[in-house]
């Protein structure tokens, strides 16, 4: 594992230096924005493995921490209040170290996700090197202006319907209980997970009419119209 991290750092450093040299010597041959993104991605690949390598070397093995946690009670020399207080204090001390290590692992999991996503975007941008494999980036570039207007209209209608669902139905249907829950429920509805929400069966009268008016409006405006416009 350490060898892979060191190899990544060395490769990223060599690649970063070569990119900077090529950009300085032949700036007219390269797209400045793409080259800067490539350099940034190499810097990320250089810095993050170094941070991971250094911080990982400073961590105590979790197996050793669990042994210490177990020994705090197994090595207890008495059952009086002083010995029990000492055992509990040692237990909490080891537990705090384990908690910090678990937090360290979670932080690096998030950081690794960010690094992988940067490299994923780098791979997508690399498709531009050949015109026949640049279909994805060229399509996005041509449709970007229209997509911005589409997402603007989509966001307004989506949020307005979520507010209506929360305001009118939140007290009766739990998935619309908060504005955030209503947005989450609408995302699931958008992907066709459900249209008949849990709790609708107990509605009656005006509340039932309001729900179906909301559901039909969402399906017609957001799902059938806007989504199919986007696909078209």
């Amino acid at each position: 594992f350490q060898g892979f991290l060191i190899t990544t750092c060395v490769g990223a450093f060599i690649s970063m230096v070569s990119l900077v040299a090529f950009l300085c010597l032949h700036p007219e041959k390269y797209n400045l924005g793409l080259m800067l993104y490539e350099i940034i991605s190499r810097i990320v690949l250089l810095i993050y493995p170094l941070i991971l390598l250094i911080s990982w070397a400073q961590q105590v093995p979790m197996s050793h921490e669990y042994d210490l946690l177990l020994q705090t009670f197994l090595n207890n020399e008495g059952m009086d209040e002083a010995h029990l207080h000492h055992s509990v204090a040692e237990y909490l001390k080891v537990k705090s170290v384990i908690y910090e290590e678990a937090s360290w692992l979670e932080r690096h999991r998030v950081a690794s996700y960010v690094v992988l996503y940067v490299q994923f975007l780098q791979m997508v941008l690399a498709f531009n090197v050949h015109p026949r494999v640049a279909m994805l980036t060229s399509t996005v570039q041509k449709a970007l202006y229209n997509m911005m207007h589409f997402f603007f209209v989509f966001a307004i209608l989506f949020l307005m319907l979520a507010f209506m669902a929360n305001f009118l139905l939140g007290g009766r249907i739990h998935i619309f209980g908060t504005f955030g829950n209503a947005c989450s429920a609408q995302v699931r509805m958008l992907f066709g997970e459900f249209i008949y929400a849990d709790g609708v069966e107990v509605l009656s009268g005006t509340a039932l009419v309001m729900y179906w008016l909301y559901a039909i409006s969402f399906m017609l405006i957001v799902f059938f119209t806007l989504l199919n416009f986007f696909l078209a």
Side-chain angles (χ1 to χ4, degrees), residues 141-156:
Q141 288 176 356
K142 292 178 181 177
L144 184 61
Y145 184 74
N146 292 326
M147 287 172 61
M148 291 173 57
H149 290 84
F150 167 81
F151 284 119
F152 177 74
V153 175
F154 179 86
I156 293 176

Side-chain angles (χ1 to χ4, degrees), residues 74-89:
L74 293 180
N75 294 337
N76 192 12
E77 298 178 355
M79 297 301 294
D80 56 283
E81 184 178 352
H83 286 92
L84 287 177
H85 185 271
H86 176 74
S87 297
V88 171

Side-chain angles (χ1 to χ4, degrees), residues 73-74 95 108 115 127 134 185 197 200 203 214 226:
F73 289 102
L74 293 180
K95 184 179 178 182
H108 278 282
V115 172
F127 290 156
V200 177
L203 298 180
Y214 156 77
L226 288 179

Side-chain angles (χ1 to χ4, degrees), residues 170 173-178 180-185 188-189 194 197-198 211:
I173 302 177
H174 70 91
I175 63 172
F176 299 134
T178 65
N181 288 343
C183 291
S184 177
R188 291 157 58 196
M189 292 170 65
F194 69 90
D198 293 337
Y211 173 78

Side-chain angles (χ1 to χ4, degrees), residues 8-231:
T8 302
C9 292
V10 173
F13 178 76
I14 295 174
S15 178
M16 180 186 67
V17 172
S18 61
L19 286 172
V20 172
F22 283 132
L23 184 60
C24 294
L25 293 175
H26 308 285
E28 70 283 352
K29 293 184 179 180
Y30 301 101
N31 184 306
L32 181 60
L34 294 179
M35 285 294 290
L36 288 178
Y37 185 85
E38 287 192 19
I39 293 172
I40 291 173
S41 69
R42 299 304 187 273
I43 293 174
V44 170
L45 278 182
L46 172 64
I47 294 177
Y48 176 69
L50 283 176
I51 295 175
L52 179 58
L53 185 63
I54 295 171
S55 61
W56 180 67
Q58 295 173 346
Q59 299 300 316
V60 179
M62 189 65 73
S63 58
H64 178 68
E65 294 294 342
Y66 278 112
D67 287 339
L68 292 178
L69 196 65
L70 186 62
Q71 294 300 323
T72 55
F73 289 102
L74 293 180
N75 294 337
N76 192 12
E77 298 178 355
M79 297 301 294
D80 56 283
E81 184 178 352
H83 286 92
L84 287 177
H85 185 271
H86 176 74
S87 297
V88 171
E90 291 297 320
Y91 173 83
L92 293 176
K93 185 187 299 183
V94 177
K95 184 179 178 182
S96 64
V97 174
I98 295 175
Y99 177 78
E100 291 174 1
E101 190 163 343
S103 300
W104 169 85
L105 184 61
E106 183 62 27
R107 289 194 300 269
H108 278 282
R109 184 178 287 113
V110 175
S112 299
Y113 178 83
V114 174
V115 172
L116 287 174
Y117 198 80
V118 170
Q119 301 310 309
F120 167 74
L121 293 178
Q122 176 65 49
M123 182 182 68
V124 173
L125 294 175
F127 290 156
N128 286 322
V129 298
H130 194 281
R132 292 190 179 276
V133 296
M135 294 181 293
L136 177 60
T137 53
S138 61
T139 302
V140 172
Q141 288 176 356
K142 292 178 181 177
L144 184 61
Y145 184 74
N146 292 326
M147 287 172 61
M148 291 173 57
H149 290 84
F150 167 81
F151 284 119
F152 177 74
V153 175
F154 179 86
I156 293 176
L157 295 177
F158 185 89
L159 295 175
M160 184 61 188
L161 287 168
F163 174 77
M164 290 172 56
N166 171 239
F167 183 74
L168 299 174
L169 304 166
R172 298 177 175 89
I173 302 177
H174 70 91
I175 63 172
F176 299 134
T178 65
F179 181 73
N181 288 343
C183 291
S184 177
Q186 286 192 165
V187 171
R188 291 157 58 196
M189 292 170 65
L190 189 62
F191 287 97
E193 183 173 334
F194 69 90
I195 185 61
Y196 192 80
D198 293 337
V200 177
E201 63 275 2
V202 301
L203 298 180
S204 61
T206 306
L208 185 61
V209 173
M210 287 192 301
Y211 173 78
W212 283 113
L213 181 61
Y214 156 77
I216 292 172
S217 299
F218 180 84
M219 294 301 293
L220 288 178
I221 298 175
V222 176
F223 187 80
F224 288 114
T225 306
L226 288 179
L227 186 60
N228 283 282
F229 279 173
F230 178 72
L231 294 176

